[in-house]
Amino acid sequence: MKKKAVTLPDLEVSYQQEYLEAGCDEAGRGCYAGPVFAAAVILPIDFYHPLLNDSKLIAPQVRVELRKYIEANALAFAVAQVGVEEIDTINILKASQKAMHLALAQLAPAPEFIAVDGNYFIPYKKLRHACIVKGDGKLANIAAASILAKTYRDAYMQRIHEEFPQYNWAANKGYGTLAHRNAIKHSGLCIYHRKSFNILSAQSELFED
């Protein structure tokens, strides 16, 4: 059976055009291990790439090429991360919001409006903003932010995979795959695991006879 062809969306560049707008998205919120990353991107009004889409729907090698294109053609872009210790201290939702704020703070020129993927955002510097559910499949600036956040985080997980290869983060990127859960069962948690996620409790229930 042939695979059904993926129809790429016809993305609008931004939510509005009256104010200078940054698209913002995060990556790694649901992972067992590693930081949460966020990116903010301001695109020119004529920005276009035929393969740009939600990062989760794009092959890894295409994401890398898109990252290069976005960085070369954006008016401004920034990537930030919040580490495991802070995630465990303030919780993953607040950490994700902080990562987005840190990315936005690095943009030059500074945005006047923010388009955010999802349905929740803590206001940043009292700027106008819009939350767009599945925005990374609707707006090019959010899709671009999703590509940067994902590729930067994947590269980070690849680096720490060399330190703890038993968890196979090069493949699972810290998500709770069966192989990752089995590795935790046998090796326990390491410094890069999010202790506040109660992973060990989940493991004991998962592997009960």
Side-chain angles (χ1 to χ4, degrees), residues 117-209:
D117 184 53
N119 60 7
Y120 176 75
F121 182 66
I122 296 174
Y124 173 76
K125 290 189 174 181
K126 298 183 179 180
L127 293 182
R128 299 172 179 87
H129 73 268
C131 294
I132 299 98
V133 175
K134 297 184 179 179
D136 44 9
K138 298 175 181 176
L139 299 181
N141 56 13
I142 296 180
S146 79
I147 294 290
L148 295 192
K150 174 65 174 168
T151 54
Y152 274 77
R153 188 179 190 280
D154 284 357
Y156 179 96
M157 296 306 294
Q158 178 69 51
R159 291 195 298 273
I160 65 172
H161 166 82
E162 303 301 323
E163 191 176 349
F164 292 95
Q166 66 267 36
Y167 301 111
N168 199 22
W169 291 330
N172 62 55
K173 304 303 186 292
Y175 283 94
T177 63
L178 178 60
H180 190 183
R181 298 196 306 270
N182 277 322
I184 294 170
K185 177 189 176 184
H186 293 294
S187 301
L189 302 179
C190 75
I191 57 173
Y192 295 110
H193 281 107
R194 301 173 182 178
K195 312 305 187 294
S196 58
F197 277 37
N198 295 317
I199 299 167
L200 288 177
S201 296
Q203 290 302 302
S204 63
E205 293 174 8
L206 180 66
F207 292 104
E208 281 178 354
D209 293 329

